[in-house]
Structure formats: C-alpha cells, structure tokens
Amino acid sequence: MPLDADGNVLHSVKLWCDTETAEENERLLQQLGGANGSLETLGLRIATGYTASKILWFKTHHPALWAKLHTVLLPHDYLNFWLTGERVAEYGDASGTGLFDVRTRRWSKTAVDLIDDSGRLWQALPPLKSAECCIGTVRPAAAEKLGLGPAVRVSTGGGDNMMAAIGSGNIEAGTLTLSLGTSGTLFGWSAAPVAAESDMIAGFCSSTNGWLPLICTMNVTSATTAVQTLLDEDLAGFNALLAQAAPGAGGVEMLPFFNGERVPPLPHARASLHNLDSDNFTRANLCLAVVESAPCWSPCTGGCAG
C-alpha cells in the first residue's frame, strides 16, 4: 500500500494473486542474476506475487503518484497504521516482499536499488519489529469508531501463514502445517535459515523469531469454487456429486491454473481439462477432478501423475 506523507493511500492495492506484474518480476529476477542470484541475494526466488514487482509496476505506470511516495506498507501494516498512526513492518510478512533478506532479517539495499536507486523507496520502507512487539495504543479516533478504550495496545502481528503456524502449534521443529484456502501452503518451523535445494521453497521468517520455509500454490479452493459456481451447486450439492465419483474421476484430469501459478512459476498459465470422452465427462467427475487437481499438480507431492 503506497502512502504519501499524510498517510493517504496513493493507489488501489495490487494483491499477491494479481499476475499483471509478471513482466516486472521477470525483469527484476534477471537483474538479480536469475534464480541463483535471487537466492544468493535474498535467500529465496522472487515471485510475481511478491511486493517488489507491484512497486515497480506502480513506479512505471504512475510516475506522478510515485513522486509523492512516502511509505510502503503491506495491508496488515496499514491496518496497524490506521489503528495507531505507527508505520512499521514485521519480519514474517516482510519475507514475501522480495525486498528483504530472509537470512539476515534486513531490507536488501541491492534489491531495492534495482527498483529505485534514488533513495525514495529505501526511505519509504518502514522499520522492522518482531510480531510480539507492542507498537502503540489505539488512536482516539480509531478507539471511538471501534468502541475501544484509549489504552488498548496493538501488537505488530504477522502474515497469514505465520499466524496460522502459531495457531496450529507449528512453533518448533517437527511440525508441518498444510493450509488449504484460496491458495495452498505447506510449511514447517526452523530455528535457522533454510538453504533449500529447490528454489520453489521460500525460506520465509516465522512470526516466532525463527524461520518458516514454505511452498505455496495459487489454486486450491478458488478452483473448486469456480467449478461449484459453474454447475450452480451449493456446498451440499457439490459434496453429493463428489460422492458419486470414483477416485481418479474416470481419467479426467484438470490443471487448475485459473489464477496462473506461483509454484511452479507460471504466472500466465491457464486452467485446462484433459482426457475427456463421452463416458467420463460428467458433473461428478468434473467435481472430483478439480478436487484432485490441488494435490496432483502441486510440487508438494512428488509421486503423483503431475
């Protein structure tokens, strides 16, 4: 979220699932030296969903607004700003910006300068704090609007997967969390930075002062919802159709890339159906094919048909 000096939002937010910035991300990736260079500089491979490409897009397409840029905040940081007036960021959520070295827990001047070497962006990055830190108390105007007392304190908080790790007890080695929502993520906790063999694994920081290497795909319940809507079925009807289909969906296979894909990095990919014939092309098989598509085409599971 780009803000001016007065805290006004300069432009609508481009979210992580917006793949319009694929070209900007590819440009930054090449400037970093490709996947290996990105791993060396940041500890991970930057992806189109990361904030860096969104900032470059904003600078390129809206130079007049760029000239007013004072602060860059992630959405949850902006909520904290609205509550307290404080502009800060947190290590876990900052890991997904593409501007942050996950191993040293610091903003990367190298990555920032690739987008803007004038110093404007570097000065616009907020200070970093741990998730448990209190960043201030609720502003009087916010307290009145929410019906809160003026002494209510606000902590820094963290990103969705980082908070999900805490909620699922994933705060020490040996635990894995699988989160299936619009996207799908699989992550585990580590006491030290993780040097993954694959650049598909992002070695993010956790919100418990450790690390949370994770892998993320962009199409899970977003894909099943698309099919459910197409067939005009409520959840009960969708589940009833699932129960009518045998595992394997009669050979029907789906690539569920409705939103492009983050892992593997295919931002321009599109969804498709395969192996259809006059016998297996049924509503039930279509429902099961989209449900089976998440594990089958995710790199989380190495032994599947994908």
Side-chain angles (χ1 to χ4, degrees), residues 10-239:
L10 294 171
H11 191 271
S12 57
V13 177
K14 295 183 80 62
L15 298 178
W16 63 274
C17 54
D18 185 337
T19 59
E20 184 183 9
T21 61
E23 180 181 338
E24 285 80 5
N25 184 74
E26 183 61 26
R27 189 188 317 167
L28 291 173
L29 183 62
Q30 294 309 312
Q31 289 177 317
L32 283 167
N36 290 338
S38 185
L39 286 167
E40 183 178 342
T41 301
L42 302 171
L44 46 73
R45 172 183 174 144
I46 58 170
T48 301
Y50 291 4
T51 313
S53 66
K54 319 300 181 185
I55 296 175
L56 180 55
W57 180 92
F58 175 64
K59 179 187 178 185
T60 302
H61 292 273
H62 299 281
L65 295 177
W66 173 265
K68 299 179 181 179
L69 181 70
H70 180 274
T71 312
V72 171
L73 295 178
L74 295 175
H76 108 261
D77 301 327
Y78 178 77
L79 291 177
N80 286 341
F81 168 67
W82 184 86
L83 287 168
T84 66
E86 298 295 328
R87 310 184 194 206
V88 299
E90 181 267 339
Y91 299 107
D93 226 4
S95 299
T97 62
L99 305 173
F100 179 80
D101 186 335
V102 295
R103 299 155 302 184
T104 62
R105 297 176 179 268
R106 295 175 182 172
W107 296 119
S108 169
K109 190 70 162 53
T110 300
V112 169
D113 284 350
L114 293 178
I115 298 174
D116 170 56
D117 60 4
S118 73
R120 178 178 294 276
L121 179 55
W122 183 252
Q123 294 299 324
L125 295 176
L128 293 155
K129 292 193 174 183
S130 298
E132 74 277 10
C133 290
C134 173
I135 60 174
T137 55
V138 177
R139 296 182 300 113
E144 181 179 359
K145 190 175 185 67
L146 298 174
L148 299 174
V152 171
R153 297 189 296 173
V154 178
S155 70
T156 308
D160 51 0
N161 291 311
M162 294 76 192
M163 295 293 101
I166 296 173
S168 57
N170 194 347
I171 56 175
E172 58 184 17
T175 300
L176 292 176
T177 299
L178 176 65
S179 172
L180 300 178
T182 303
S183 61
T185 54
L186 178 68
F187 45 90
W189 186 88
S190 173
V194 173
E197 294 181 3
S198 170
D199 61 12
M200 293 186 181
I201 297 175
F204 286 4
C205 296
S206 75
S207 289
T208 53
N209 302 314
W211 281 263
L212 198 73
L214 62 81
I215 195 165
C216 176
T217 57
M218 291 179 64
N219 302 274
V220 183
T221 61
S222 57
T224 58
T225 298
V227 172
Q228 182 183 331
T229 301
L230 173 69
L231 299 180
D232 195 23
E233 292 285 352
D234 60 14
L235 187 57
F238 183 83
N239 285 337

